[in-house]
Amino acid sequence: MNQRQSITPLLKALAASGGSDLHVKAGSAPRVRLDGRLRRLQVPELTPEDTVSMLSEVLPENQLVQFEQTHEADFAFQLEDTGRFRVNAYQARGTVGMVFRQVAEGAKTLADLSLPEVIGELALEPRGLVLVTGPTGSGKSTTLASMVDLVNTLREVNIVTIEDPIEILHSDKKAIISQREVRHDTADFNTALRAAMRQDPDVIMVGEMRDPETVRAALQAGETGHLVFSTLHTNNAEETINRIVDFFPAEEQQQIRMALAQSLRGIVSQRLVRTADGAGRCAVTEVMVNTGRTAEAIVNPGENPPITDLIAEGGYYKMQTFDQHLFKLISAGKVAYVDALSASSNPQDLSVQLRSAGIAI
């Protein structure tokens, strides 16, 4: 009998390469995502038996029944002397596949990530709701962890995080921090969020707002004096607001708009783009700070300018659109124009602005 391929050398290869993700699936050689591109590892194609064996190496026992029933599982895996990984296991055409995301031990600072200082200001708000949004793989978890770390470093507060799974481990600094993992420490986000309200929290981090109950509880927590961080898989601030409202039936939507306008402090949306030196990727951010004008636009969108226009005009409050940030990055030589196009909301308008400023493209 042929010896099955182990996951261990593949995870070590991911860590050694500095890549972000490892993809394993039957009928294909494993691939590592490096600087946004998938690179094939020089190992043989995996068999269905290989991937089943790999899953047995990493899947927690308490999720075995769930995977057999749903063919989906999300969990964390720690490989000694190598690192910690977020894992999604799935079934495709009857065979097992997995994606491993390498996560850091300890959070990077906002400065390490070259994120705008206004994000730090939002992280230190005394109360309300702050959202970090973007597509899968855009660095939301990394940004959120850096915001939690800033609070942990500077404020004497109680922080409760609810994650699925825990990705980055935090140690107590000036704050105390309790990290709870869905399905391991608690049943689900909504249950944990309601329980958190009885744990004397000052700051609550909810890994993702997935359903109306969690959204409602997060809004209520923000309205009652807590600072709440969370994420959504949305592309920009305007889409984020619409997604939250659309969680609810029509007869509740105006009430939700009013609650959101009251509790929201800001929305940070981000995308990743290759750096000009080709050595990695950097975050491009759209930042909306909730002001009187944006609150009015949330409550009555048909009677006010679009949120995107208010962001573009909100430089005084340190707001910026994706294209305004890209303009700065291109001007500073940090991002090449050709790579910026993939992250631009309006590539043609960005080109006009660059030419008007005399910047070669």
Side-chain angles (χ1 to χ4, degrees), residues 79 173 219 250 309:
L79 183 62
K173 296 181 180 178
L219 287 171
D309 291 354

Side-chain angles (χ1 to χ4, degrees), residues 31-281:
R31 285 168 169 79
V32 165
R33 187 173 296 279
L34 184 61
D35 296 334
R37 297 180 180 177
L38 284 177
R39 312 293 176 91
R40 176 173 174 159
L41 294 178
Q42 297 306 306
V43 297
E45 291 184 357
L46 301 176
T47 66
E49 293 76 16
D50 285 330
T51 58
V52 168
S53 176
M54 289 176 181
L55 180 64
S56 69
E57 292 181 62
V58 298
L59 183 67
E61 287 187 15
N62 64 354
Q63 292 204 45
L64 178 60
V65 172
Q66 177 195 333
F67 185 79
E68 289 175 344
Q69 292 175 345
T70 67
H71 308 306
E72 306 277 358
D74 288 291
F75 53 93
F77 177 70
Q78 180 86 30
L79 183 62
E80 189 175 355
D81 299 327
T82 301
R84 184 175 175 85
F85 304 88
R86 182 179 74 189
V87 190
N88 174 261
Y90 61 92
Q91 184 169 300
R93 297 175 61 186
T95 63
V96 170
M98 288 178 287
V99 180
F100 293 78
R101 165 69 54 84
Q102 185 170 22
V103 293
E105 296 286 347
K108 293 183 178 181
T109 67
L110 294 169
D112 289 338
L113 299 172
S114 300
L115 292 170
E117 65 177 20
V118 65
I119 297 178
E121 294 171 10
L122 290 172
L124 295 175
E125 285 279 346
R127 66 191 65 84
L129 177 64
V130 179
L131 299 173
V132 179
T133 81
T136 300
S138 60
K140 297 186 298 297
S141 297
T142 302
T143 296
L144 206 59
S146 70
M147 295 168 72
V148 169
D149 183 67
L150 182 64
V151 177
N152 192 16
T153 302
L154 298 180
R155 296 181 62 194
E156 294 177 317
V157 294
N158 178 26
I159 304 170
V160 177
T161 78
I162 307 162
E163 304 171 68
D164 183 20
I166 293 171
E167 297 191 28
I168 296 175
L169 298 176
H170 296 271
S171 301
D172 293 354
K173 296 181 180 178
K174 212 166 193 179
I176 58 172
I177 181 165
S178 300
Q179 294 182 264
R180 307 193 68 202
E181 183 167 298
V182 172
R183 288 185 300 274
H184 182 74
D185 301 308
T186 184
D188 52 54
F189 281 114
N190 186 38
T191 300
L193 185 49
R194 285 188 281 109
M197 300 303 292
R198 300 189 295 273
Q199 295 160 9
D200 186 33
D202 299 287
V203 180
I204 304 170
M205 191 274 272
V206 184
E208 185 180 350
M209 297 205 296
R210 295 178 176 175
D211 54 62
E213 293 75 22
T214 303
V215 172
R216 194 190 305 277
L219 287 171
Q220 290 173 347
E223 289 176 332
T224 55
H226 305 86
L227 179 62
V228 181
F229 299 138
S230 193
T231 73
L232 279 95
H233 290 279
T234 48
N235 290 317
N236 53 48
E238 191 155 9
E239 183 181 324
T240 299
I241 292 163
N242 292 335
R243 177 71 59 82
I244 291 172
V245 172
D246 287 343
F247 270 121
F248 299 89
E251 62 270 18
E252 289 189 60
Q253 290 185 354
Q254 191 58 33
Q255 180 184 352
I256 294 299
R257 285 188 176 276
M258 294 175 67
L260 188 57
Q262 180 177 341
S263 66
L264 185 66
R265 292 295 175 267
I267 300 174
V268 178
S269 302
Q270 63 184 56
R271 302 165 184 171
L272 295 180
V273 63
R274 194 182 311 279
T275 55
D277 60 9
R281 293 185 293 171

Side-chain angles (χ1 to χ4, degrees), residues 321-343:
T321 65
F322 282 115
D323 285 0
Q324 286 172 332
H325 194 193
L326 284 168
F327 182 91
K328 296 174 188 175
L329 292 171
I330 295 169
S331 300
K334 295 181 179 179
V335 169
Y337 168 72
V338 66
D339 293 318
L341 292 180
S342 64

